[in-house]
Amino acid sequence: MRIRSHIPKAEKAFIGGSSTFSIDFPENLGEEGVSVLEKGLVFQTPFGPSPRFKLIEVSEEPVLVVKMHGWRKGVSRADASRQLFWVLQQAGVKKIIAEGGVGSIREELHPRDLIIPHDYIDQSMRKDVSLSADYLLMMREPICQDLSQLLFSVARNLFPRRNVVDGGVYVVTDGYHFESRAEIRAMREWGADIVGQSLCPEVYLAREIGACYAGIYQVANYAEGIGKDWEHAELKDIFVSEAKNIGDLLLSALSQIEPKWPCHCQELRKDTLLRDK
């Protein structure tokens, strides 16, 4: 494995999850105006070698792409996130979109529905993941409203017959296991809509590097105790059959993002008050 020292500049990034895991993004989509400039890019970070990146071009603008949140064998998910976002910070990334598969905590949210959460409840053990101690991060508006609205608009235009939900609460758990029925009942009482494993710590790290962050998530199954029990074959079919659809949606969104959009996400990051004397 060749480790690169030079990190290319890019103001946009895409963090892939389970809904695009079964395809080569963007090669399998065959979209005009999209090209792969480099792939298999691994960089040295203060937290170990990074996951593999692709540098692609969408509408003549560079975009850094990583598969499955940078998770891989032999590396903790916390370290994978640190490595990933350190690279994005060095690249100068300002706009990040992500995707993933989630479980539905509400009967009205069905498999293959799409949801763009606006808030979260962090039940993971990865709450202290950061790149430094330099900032005080305010999470009163954790998800970029502008990016969320773009994802919603693109999804509605591409899939007019599909249920696309604008807003919701995402409960983050550690995995690798799914949740118990008792846990899901508790989450339902909290007012949660979906459960998954990836939004945190990514949303913290995006704020730390001064980038806007939003994601669109495909319901892959009902959470335990919600509706009928999910089956492994159905889960696999959703991820395989919908991967290109989700990929098309994300490429369309990337082509429309303007890195210079005015946004107040950066105002929710302040210098820390805890300085050594």
Side-chain angles (χ1 to χ4, degrees):
M1 177 178 64
R2 179 188 172 194
I3 298 180
R4 309 287 187 95
S5 57
H6 173 69
I7 297 174
K9 293 299 180 182
E11 294 189 329
K12 303 179 190 179
F14 165 58
I15 300 175
S18 52
S19 291
T20 56
F21 181 75
S22 66
I23 61 172
D24 285 330
F25 180 95
E27 294 94 318
N28 289 161
L29 302 175
E31 293 287 333
E32 291 186 7
V34 178
S35 58
V36 177
L37 303 179
E38 293 186 87
K39 57 185 178 180
L41 300 174
V42 178
F43 308 102
Q44 187 60 51
T45 83
F47 313 100
S50 75
R52 294 180 184 274
F53 284 85
K54 288 180 185 177
L55 180 65
I56 71 172
E57 192 173 69
V58 181
S59 299
E60 300 184 349
E61 293 186 351
V63 180
L64 277 170
V65 173
V66 70
K67 199 177 186 77
M68 202 56 196
H69 308 284
W71 299 343
R72 58 211 191 274
K73 291 181 179 180
V75 179
S76 73
R77 289 185 174 184
D79 280 342
S81 293
R82 290 185 183 99
Q83 296 158 5
L84 164 57
F85 277 83
W86 187 87
V87 171
L88 299 187
Q89 181 184 53
Q90 302 306 305
V93 167
K94 296 302 179 186
K95 306 290 183 184
I96 303 168
I97 59 172
E99 61 86 2
V102 292
S104 169
I105 300 176
R106 303 291 175 192
E107 288 89 347
E108 61 270 23
L109 274 176
H110 307 294
R112 289 185 167 83
D113 286 352
L114 300 173
I115 182 168
I116 303 158
H118 72 285
D119 211 339
Y120 68 92
I121 300 171
D122 189 357
Q123 286 293 289
S124 76
M125 298 298 291
R126 305 190 294 272
K127 297 181 178 65
D128 63 345
V129 177
S130 63
L131 302 181
S132 71
D134 294 339
Y135 298 107
L136 175 64
L137 307 177
M138 289 171 278
M139 306 308 293
R140 65 174 67 108
E141 292 182 16
I143 309 297
C144 178
Q145 296 179 6
D146 293 335
L147 286 182
S148 292
Q149 284 302 304
L150 173 63
L151 288 169
F152 179 71
S153 175
V154 171
R156 288 292 299 271
N157 287 335
L158 283 180
F159 310 120
R161 297 183 179 181
R162 179 175 289 195
N163 185 31
V164 182
V165 179
D166 184 14
V169 176
Y170 183 136
V171 178
V172 184
T173 62
D174 274 322
Y176 295 83
H177 59 277
F178 280 15
E179 300 71 34
S180 72
R181 290 184 176 183
E183 287 176 311
I184 295 300
R185 285 197 300 271
M187 295 172 189
R188 187 182 174 100
E189 290 298 316
W190 299 340
D193 300 288
I194 54 175
V195 60
Q197 300 172 11
S198 63
L199 189 142
C200 298
E202 290 183 357
V203 70
Y204 308 139
L205 291 166
R207 182 131 303 164
E208 183 175 351
I209 70 171
C212 298
Y213 178 97
I216 187 163
Y217 301 89
Q218 180 175 219
V219 176
N221 60 286
Y222 296 108
E224 302 295 350
I226 305 295
K228 70 180 183 70
D229 290 344
W230 61 274
E231 297 180 1
H232 186 269
E234 181 181 12
L235 200 70
K236 180 179 179 181
D237 177 66
I238 289 173
F239 285 140
V240 172
S241 65
E242 296 291 345
K244 288 188 176 181
N245 290 331
I246 301 300
D248 287 340
L249 186 164
L250 293 159
L251 276 182
S252 179
L254 285 168
S255 72
Q256 297 178 55
I257 293 173
E258 293 292 340
K260 305 302 183 184
W261 275 343
C263 178
H264 71 277
C265 290
Q266 291 79 12
E267 298 170 10
L268 298 173
R269 182 189 73 168
K270 305 294 184 183
D271 290 339
T272 183
L273 300 174
L274 303 177
R275 295 288 188 188
D276 292 335
K277 299 296 185 181

